Amino acid sequence: MEPDIVTTPEAETSGTLSTIGSRGLHEFIRYVAASAIALLIDTGSLFLMTSIFEVPYLISGAIAFTLGLAAVYVLSVVWVFENRVVRSRLAEFAAFALIGIIGLAMNEAILWLLTSAFGFYYLVSKIGSVAVVFTWNFFARKHLLFR
């Protein structure tokens, strides 16, 4: 009978296997889900404001991003992260929002660059923005606010 790789002593010390089921992995998976919800709010709002209400895409992009930021904050503190480093909720929100504002600047720059400079459709540009901003937001928030 072959050894069960999950229960053998090597599995307990393996760097790769020991991270399966870790708190950090669970938080990352929950953050992906929370971010997906925020992305739906963000992108749906962007589409509605730009295509239906004819708001210029950079203005609607900022408003939509802010709506997504609010959604991911609530989900992050209620569901995603287990530890909160900052005791003051006001200071925590301010830091969370500052990280988001940096993400917003990145979002706007990428939207402008890909749409205005390279001629991509604004929703295609949003795909490029999402990858960069998601990575920034998760690691900055995890390391600064929710260790």
Side-chain angles (χ1 to χ4, degrees):
M1 181 175 202
E2 292 184 43
D4 181 357
I5 64 167
V6 176
T7 59
T8 59
E10 294 81 16
E12 294 173 10
T13 59
S14 168
T16 303
L17 291 176
S18 67
T19 60
I20 296 173
S22 70
R23 182 186 71 174
L25 179 61
H26 289 216
E27 288 178 342
F28 180 78
I29 291 168
R30 288 190 299 257
Y31 193 78
V32 168
S35 294
I37 292 166
L39 177 62
L40 287 173
I41 293 168
D42 180 345
T43 306
S45 299
L46 175 65
F47 175 77
L48 284 173
M49 286 185 280
T50 304
S51 295
I52 306 299
F53 298 108
E54 298 180 355
V55 176
Y57 73 90
L58 290 177
I59 294 170
S60 62
I63 295 167
F65 188 88
T66 303
L67 294 172
L69 173 68
V72 79
Y73 174 74
V74 170
L75 290 169
S76 291
V77 298
V78 170
W79 181 58
V80 172
F81 296 108
E82 295 177 17
N83 293 330
R84 294 169 83 173
V85 175
V86 180
R87 292 181 189 204
S88 165
R89 296 303 157 231
L90 182 59
E92 178 186 67
F93 179 76
F96 193 97
L98 179 61
I99 292 167
I101 289 168
I102 293 168
L104 173 59
M106 295 165 72
N107 176 69
E108 293 292 286
I110 293 166
L111 280 176
W112 176 84
L113 180 69
L114 296 179
T115 303
S116 294
F118 291 108
F120 287 100
Y121 183 59
Y122 73 95
L123 291 176
V124 173
S125 300
K126 184 66 176 176
I127 295 168
S129 171
V130 166
V132 173
V133 174
F134 171 85
T135 302
W136 158 255
N137 284 339
F138 176 77
F139 286 107
R141 289 172 175 151
K142 174 65 179 163
H143 293 291
L144 296 175
L145 298 174
F146 304 108
R147 286 181 249 162

